[in-house]
Amino acid sequence: MKITSVNVRKVEKEGSRMKGIASVLIDDCFAIHDIRIIEGDNGLFIAMPSRKTANGGYRDIAHPINPETRALFEEAILEAYKTAE
């Protein structure tokens, strides 16, 4: 698997911890949209797209299965965020 494209749109909303929204293209054939870039207590991290469940919680719609793949996504997205205008 190779991340072939990352697009980031920065979000500037006063008082919000969300700093951007990313879309990722994998192997030029599969896209994941609405990955949130969040400012946490220990720096930036990504939150995969999710939906609200019937009991009020949230469940990821798409997500990496292992830590190595999550790190690959986070590294590519945060690098694109740093260079986005």
Side-chain angles (χ1 to χ4, degrees):
M1 179 190 81
K2 181 179 177 188
I3 295 176
T4 49
S5 175
V6 179
N7 293 316
V8 171
R9 180 175 49 90
K10 288 190 174 184
V11 174
E12 295 180 21
K13 202 176 199 182
E14 191 173 323
S16 176
R17 294 175 74 128
M18 186 169 69
K19 301 301 178 188
I21 302 286
S23 294
V24 174
L25 184 61
I26 301 168
D27 293 332
D28 283 324
C29 63
F30 189 82
I32 302 174
H33 302 288
D34 297 331
I35 301 170
R36 295 175 317 283
I37 302 166
I38 309 289
E39 180 71 52
D41 294 336
N42 298 317
L44 294 173
F45 67 94
I46 63 169
M48 298 304 288
S50 60
R51 77 169 54 157
K52 197 170 191 174
T53 63
N55 65 4
Y58 287 88
R59 183 175 175 101
D60 285 350
I61 295 169
H63 59 89
I65 297 298
N66 57 51
E68 295 82 17
T69 305
R70 177 168 286 282
L72 180 71
F73 272 77
E74 195 159 274
E75 182 179 308
I77 291 168
L78 295 181
E79 187 61 36
Y81 174 81
K82 290 176 189 172
T83 60
E85 294 182 17

